Structure formats: structure tokens, C-alpha cells
């Protein structure tokens, strides 16, 4: 079989979770020896695996239908995770929902990252087959590497004995960035580093104000890739992810694969694949986050590193490739 993987506006999405998913899908298919193309002019394929929902994506689907091809929509986005992001996102959300449902339902089947996001799509009234398949993780990429750790520590001037808490995400209220800063205020002896970037003109004033005026122990280095951020995952004392809504959270998988101690907000997307106090720690309020971070950093509670790593290992790219191949076969067989 041959798969046409399509991602609209690759330059715009390359720093987002969907951008990571693109690379993961390519690696997953390669791991199974599945031929694929990303050429929008290609007509020699069996299944269109569409990952975006813009006007060009819709045109690509319609053209695939004219060619008699099978179509799979990959539902990376929901109305819920569109809210509390960009300026006016809450007002636009109902329109956004109609748009994604319209595009998703042009397919023969839908893939979405988690059982949670599958339930959301079903609640929209979508009746197509929906398969929850993780975006996956390249487990080998996050193996311990002393040179990456050194690069990260040099970049931020981390001194021996300093305690560092990190998070990764766009500058969205939904991602928990305001809570991240509030928690940092309560723990002034620790460094808090938020990796990621969003143009300030596109985000609400409250978030812009925090980016421009924040405590001295909080750092916003912007979008950082390669050895520095991978070294941060490997060396941090805690990966703190306060997001209110996700369809999966690839950065959580990256932290787990790096054997970081992970603290997340207790939200539906992490059930049932992350177990509290076993694979990670879960909390619901800033008070709980503060207590857990302090306990994790000072080793007053058990490490979840090994169990968390095993969760990431179960979502290794090769295993995702097997699951994608199974869905492709089902769709081809009708």
C-alpha cells in the first residue's frame, strides 16, 4: 500500500504538536516499510491520510474522492482545545467546531490520539469509525546523553545544586501558562523554564503581560529545539504540565521518554493511560502543584521515572506504525 500524508501550511505548524505528529507519522510508516508520499501532486497512492482542515485540505480530499481513493482524517484538534488560545478563540470556537466536523466527516474513518478525544468527537455526533492511536514517540531520541545535558546547562547557566522545573507549550492560557507563573512565584528558590513561543500579537493581553513582566526565577527562552531542550528534559527536576485541555500532549510523552518526574493537571485526556502516583503525579490546583513540586524536588515522594518511561516505551514509533498499518488495512478492505 502507499499512503499520501498531507499537512497543510507546514511552515506554520512545524513548532506545534501537529508539526511533531507529521514527523512521527513519517517515521512510523517507515518503521513498517509502508511507502508514503507528501507530494500534493501525487495521484499514485491508495489512502489519503489528511491531518489538517484548511481550505486546501478540503480540496485535497475532494480530489482524492474524484480519483476513487480512500480517505482517513486525523483529528488532532477539537473545539475544547481551540478555546482559551488565541485572541477571540472562545468566540470563534463554535464556528471552528463546525469546520473541523465538516472536514473530518469527509473521510471513510478517523484517527485521533486518545480515547478521550474519541469521546469528544462522538459527542459531536460523528458516526464514522474512530480509532484512538497515540501520536507516538521516538524512544531512542530521548535516551540519556551527557553532551545534551551539558549543552542545556551551559545555555541557561545552571549551577550545581540548582533546581529546575520545565514546561513546554505555546503561550496559551489553556496550556496553563498563568498557573505556571503563579506556582513559580510561590517557589522563588527554583528556576522555572517555559519552552515554546507564540507571536504576542495573537494572544490575549493577560498572557502577554505575564510574558513581558514575570518573576526573576521564570524564563521564557522561546522556541528551542535539539540538544538544549532534550537536555532540559533529561536533567530537569520536574516536568510540570498545567494544561487544562489536550488531545494527547506529545510533550508529556517526550518528558516520560526522558525519564523525567512528571506532574500534570488531572484532566480527562490522561485517563486511563497515565496512572496517578505510579506513572506521574496529578493535581488540580496551584496549591497542590506547589506541594507536589516541592516534594518531588526534595525526593520526599517516590520517583515515577521508570514507570513513566515504560508508558512512553509502549507508544514507541514502531508500535504506532503497527497500529496505523492495521487501520489502513481495514479502510482499504472497506
Amino acid at each position: 500500500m502507499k499512503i499520501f500524508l498531507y499537512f497543510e501550511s507546514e511552515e506554520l505548524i512545524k513548532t506545534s504538536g501537529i508539526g511533531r505528529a507529521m514527523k512521527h507519522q513519517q517515521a512510523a510508516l517507515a518503521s513498517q516499510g509502508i511507502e508514503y508520499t507528501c507530494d500534493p501532486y501525487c495521484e499514485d497512492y491508495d489512502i489519503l491520510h489528511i491531518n489538517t482542515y484548511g481550505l486546501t485540505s478540503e480540496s485535497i480530499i475532494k480530489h482524492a474522492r474524484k480519483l476513487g481513493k480512500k480517505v482517513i482524517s486525523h483529528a488532532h484538534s477539537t473545539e475544547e482545545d481551540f478555546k482559551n488560545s488565541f485572541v477571540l478563540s472562545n468566540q470563534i470556537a463554535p464556528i471552528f467546531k463546525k469546520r473541523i466536523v465538516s472536514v473530518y466527516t469527509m473521510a471513510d474513518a478517523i484517527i485521533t490520539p486518545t480515547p478521550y478525544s474519541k469521546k469528544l468527537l462522538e459527542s459531536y455526533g460523528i458516526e464514522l469509525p474512530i480509532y484512538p492511536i497515540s501520536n507516538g514517540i521516538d524512544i531512542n531520541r530521548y535516551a540519556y546523553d551527557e553532551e545534551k545535558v551539558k549543552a542545556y546547562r551551559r545555555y541557561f547557566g545552571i549551577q550545581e545544586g540548582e533546581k529546575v522545573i520545565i514546561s513546554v507549550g505555546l503561550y496559551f492560557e489553556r496550556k496553563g501558562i498563568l498557573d505556571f507563573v503563579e506556582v513559580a512565584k510561590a517557589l522563588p528558590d527554583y528556576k522555572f523554564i517555559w519552552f515554546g513561543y507564540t507571536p504576542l500579537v495573537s494572544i490575549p493581553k493577560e498572557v502577554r503581560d505575564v510574558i513581558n513582566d514575570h518573576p526573576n526565577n521564570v524564563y521564557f527562552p522561546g522556541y528551542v529545539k535539539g540538544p538544549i531542550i532534550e537536555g532540559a528534559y533529561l536533567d530537569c527536576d520536574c516536568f510540570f504540565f498545567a494544561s487544562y485541555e489536550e488531545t494527547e500532549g506529545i510533550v508529556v510523552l517526550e518528558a516520560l521518554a526522558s525519564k523525567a518526574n512528571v506532574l500534570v493537571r488531572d484532566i480527562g485526556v490522561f485517563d486511563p493511560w497515565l496512572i496517578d502516583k505510579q506513572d506521574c503525579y496529578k493535581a488540580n490546583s496551584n496549591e497542590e502543584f506547589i506541594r507536589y513540586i516541592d516534594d518531588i524536588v526534595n525526593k520526599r515522594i517516590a520517583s515515577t521515572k521508570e514507570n513513566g518511561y515504560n508508558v512512553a516505551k509502549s507508544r514507541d514509533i514502531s508500535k504506532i506504525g503497527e497500529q496505523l498499518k492495521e487501520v489502513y488495512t481495514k479502510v482499504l478492505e472497506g
Side-chain angles (χ1 to χ4, degrees):
M1 71 178 77
K2 185 175 180 179
I3 310 300
F4 174 16
L5 295 177
Y6 185 71
F7 290 80
E8 189 172 345
S9 304
E10 287 186 29
E11 278 302 305
L12 291 176
I13 66 171
K14 66 181 182 181
T15 62
S16 69
I18 298 177
R20 284 189 182 88
M22 176 177 68
K23 300 298 184 185
H24 290 183
Q25 282 177 24
Q26 292 170 346
L29 268 59
S31 76
Q32 299 302 306
I34 299 173
E35 187 180 0
Y36 71 87
T37 180
C38 297
D39 179 2
Y41 300 104
C42 176
E43 295 185 350
D44 176 27
Y45 62 89
D46 300 296
I47 298 175
L48 166 63
H49 184 163
I50 195 104
N51 284 266
T52 41
Y53 40 77
L55 294 176
T56 306
S57 297
E58 184 175 348
S59 297
I60 292 283
I61 295 173
K62 288 178 178 177
H63 186 62
R65 288 303 194 196
K66 287 180 182 178
L67 296 173
K69 308 297 187 182
K70 297 289 187 178
V71 179
I72 294 174
S73 283
H74 207 123
H76 296 285
S77 301
T78 65
E79 178 188 22
E80 286 75 7
D81 77 0
F82 182 76
K83 291 178 178 178
N84 297 311
S85 54
F86 298 104
V87 171
L88 298 178
S89 61
N90 289 5
Q91 290 84 349
I92 299 168
I95 300 169
F96 176 79
K97 178 182 176 181
K98 288 180 181 179
R99 176 64 191 168
I100 60 174
V101 169
S102 173
V103 175
Y104 292 165
T105 53
M106 294 173 73
D108 297 289
I110 296 172
I111 293 172
T112 196
T114 55
Y116 170 78
S117 52
K118 176 184 177 180
K119 287 179 182 177
L120 288 180
L121 296 176
E122 289 172 339
S123 76
Y124 298 169
I126 295 175
E127 296 180 351
L128 290 172
I130 303 174
Y131 301 96
I133 299 178
S134 170
N135 286 302
I137 189 75
D138 180 356
I139 202 79
N140 294 323
R141 179 178 173 181
Y142 296 92
Y144 188 80
D145 185 323
E146 188 174 352
E147 291 307 309
K148 290 180 179 179
V149 171
K150 287 179 179 178
Y152 146 73
R153 294 183 74 86
R154 280 197 304 270
Y155 188 87
F156 288 102
I158 306 297
Q159 302 299 313
E160 191 67 32
E162 278 193 300
K163 305 301 182 183
V164 182
I165 290 80
I166 72 166
S167 195
V168 182
L170 300 173
Y171 294 159
F172 290 167
E173 183 180 351
R174 170 178 66 82
K175 291 287 186 181
I177 192 167
L178 300 178
D179 296 299
F180 184 83
V181 173
E182 286 302 309
V183 169
K185 286 180 183 177
L187 296 167
D189 293 335
Y190 303 154
K191 280 190 174 181
F192 285 72
I193 304 174
W194 181 286
F195 292 92
Y197 176 78
T198 308
L200 297 186
V201 69
S202 67
I203 57 178
K205 182 179 183 300
E206 187 177 8
V207 179
R208 285 201 308 273
D209 289 347
V210 163
I211 303 301
N212 291 324
D213 184 16
H214 51 77
N216 292 333
N217 65 325
V218 177
Y219 300 82
F220 291 108
Y223 177 69
V224 179
K225 63 180 181 178
I228 292 170
I229 190 169
E230 289 168 18
Y233 277 127
L234 293 167
D235 195 57
C236 70
D237 293 279
C238 177
F239 178 82
F240 169 36
F241 195 63
S243 179
Y244 286 86
E245 185 69 34
E246 297 289 325
T247 52
E248 181 174 40
I250 291 179
V251 296
V252 174
L253 283 177
E254 291 172 349
L256 295 170
S258 305
K259 295 190 176 181
N261 274 312
V262 172
L263 171 63
V264 300
R265 190 179 300 279
D266 190 2
I267 54 177
V269 72
F270 298 125
D271 292 327
W273 60 282
L274 282 181
I275 300 173
D276 184 27
K277 299 180 179 64
Q278 175 180 302
D279 308 318
C280 67
Y281 285 97
K282 298 181 179 182
N284 285 304
S285 67
N286 286 353
E287 290 74 18
E288 289 181 316
F289 289 141
I290 292 163
R291 187 175 71 250
Y292 268 122
I293 288 171
D294 204 39
D295 285 345
I296 289 168
V297 167
N298 291 290
K299 298 181 171 61
R300 289 193 289 263
I301 51 179
S303 171
T304 59
K305 291 181 179 181
E306 290 301 326
N307 287 334
Y309 174 77
N310 287 333
V311 170
K313 195 173 179 181
S314 72
R315 286 159 172 74
D316 186 48
I317 289 294
S318 61
K319 293 182 172 60
I320 302 310
E322 293 172 3
Q323 294 173 45
L324 289 173
K325 185 176 182 179
E326 184 178 339
V327 171
Y328 292 155
T329 302
K330 286 180 181 178
V331 169
L332 277 178
E333 292 174 350

